[in-house]
Each structure stands twice: as C-alpha cells, then as structure tokens.
Amino acid sequence: DAKTTQPNSMESNEEEPVHLPCNHSTISGTDYIHWYRQLPSQGPEYVIHGLTSNVNNRMASLAIAEDRKSSTLILHRATLRDAAVYYCILRDEWGGADGLTFGKGTHLIIQP
Amino acid sequence: DTAVSQTPKYLVTQMGNDKSIKCEQNLGHDTMYWYKQDSKKFLKIMFSYNNKELIINETVPNRFSPKSPDKAHLNLHINSLELGDSAVYFCASSRKGARNTEAFFGQGTRLTVV
C-alpha cells in the first residue's frame, strides 16, 4: 500500500466541523482511500472510503482532491465521542488478503 | 450481536507459557486477520487468512501461529511467550477482492507477559 501523511494531532471544539487532512502523493490509479478511527480502548472502526468522487455517509464526508494526491475527512459536527485516532489508508482495488497498513494517524482532541 | 468477537479480553501469563486467543466473526466474511498494537499504539498486520491461504508478515516470529478450524474462526496461538509479546491483539475480518473491503475489528485482547 502507498504511503499517507497525516498531522500527528488536531484539536477542535464540540459541535464544530472538523477537517482532517491526508496527503498521498504516490497514490496509484486503482488505490481506494479508506479512513478508520480508533476510539480509546477499542478496536479500529471503519469510517468511510472513496476512489475519485466525494463520498458521504452517516458518520462523515470524504473530500478527494481532483488529482487524488490528498483527501480530507470531514466530521460535520464533532462530539466528544469523536475523540479518537483517525487513520487514512490506501488500498488497491483488490486489497484483499494483505490487510490494512496503519500509519501513526491523527489524534483528534475535542474540547467541550 | 457482536460482528467480530475475541476472547479473552485480558490475558496475564508468565514468560515461557503457551496461550491462545480466540476470534469468531458472524459476518460471513472469507478473510480474517490478526493485528498487534504495541505500547506505542502502532498497529501492525500479523497474519491474513483466506480460504486456507495464509499470508504471514515476515516480521512475525514463528512462535505465533494462526489456526482456522472453519471460515468463521481464526485463533492465535503463541508458544514460549516473551515479555516483548505484551501488547493488544486485534482480530478483524473482511471480504476479499471486493471493492468495498471494509474491515471489522474485534475489541482486542490485552496480553500481559510477566
């Protein structure tokens, strides 16, 4: 899996939007962009993924740059429960049995 | 219903012992994984197992061996435990080769070797 770069930590206030950036300048044409998060003392949890177009689901939105060299995970209205480590991971189309390659992720701190 | 469940949640054991961690998934997935999260919180893939095909991360010592009695289970057996094996171990499952390769993780097993 190609490499991603994320800020070590970010801080935001409760009930405000949060934009978590990810750079992946070596992304290949078939790599999907996946986001996972890990809440304290829990296993990683799938958030969202996309290929080229922006994606929305009940948890978040994913904005993908036109050249696909970067993406942004958007939490529209952060709550204290969103405090977690967020991981941006690239998977090729047939990701399959090689598992997920986790980096250090971004530690998101939510202030009340 | 828990999608991916691991037992035990906590495991404290002495150096040199042999132990197993069990994992079961009820999602009908064909691929299961074991990950290790060390004290620095770095998550690393150890094994993936799909339809009797085992892919091993080359850095994993051969004291670690996954056992799959059926498609829904992938247990992790560890021989001759060492202090450095202390970590949180996560089991996960997903579908292989599908566009939507969302992985589901268990809650983890905290292994402490004393």
Side-chain angles (χ1 to χ4, degrees), chain A residues 5-73:
Chain A
T5 305
Q6 299 177 252
N8 287 335
S9 66
M10 288 185 66
E11 200 167 310
S12 182
N13 294 320
E14 199 177 7
E15 299 187 6
E16 290 185 356
V18 179
H19 290 233
L20 295 164
C22 180
N23 288 320
H24 29 77
S25 58
T26 60
I27 191 170
S28 74
T30 56
D31 283 343
Y32 279 74
I33 302 159
H34 285 243
W35 284 81
Y36 283 76
R37 72 180 185 180
Q38 187 173 21
L39 302 171
S41 301
Q42 294 192 28
E45 174 187 34
Y46 168 82
V47 178
I48 200 166
H49 77 280
L51 183 62
T52 57
S53 303
N54 294 345
V55 183
N56 300 298
N57 67 19
R58 64 173 180 82
M59 288 181 73
S61 295
L62 177 60
I64 301 172
E66 198 170 328
D67 63 5
R68 301 207 330 122
K69 292 184 186 298
S70 66
S71 60
T72 302
L73 179 71

Side-chain angles (χ1 to χ4, degrees), chain A residues 32 36 38 43 49 94 96-97 100, chain B residues 33 35 37 48 97 99-100 103:
Chain A
Y32 279 74
Y36 283 76
Q38 187 173 21
H49 77 280
W94 305 108
L100 296 164
Chain B
Y33 312 84
Y35 289 80
Q37 187 165 41
S48 66
R99 282 178 165 266
N100 181 14

Side-chain angles (χ1 to χ4, degrees), chain B residues 22-52:
Chain B
K22 295 185 176 181
C23 179
E24 176 182 4
Q25 55 96 2
N26 61 7
L27 298 165
H29 288 162
D30 53 13
T31 305
M32 295 183 72
Y33 312 84
W34 278 103
Y35 289 80
K36 178 181 179 181
Q37 187 165 41
D38 60 26
S39 57
K40 295 182 179 178
K41 304 293 186 182
F42 191 57
L43 264 164
K44 196 169 186 180
I45 181 81
M46 299 177 69
F47 303 101
S48 66
Y49 192 85
N50 169 271
N51 291 334
K52 302 180 183 177

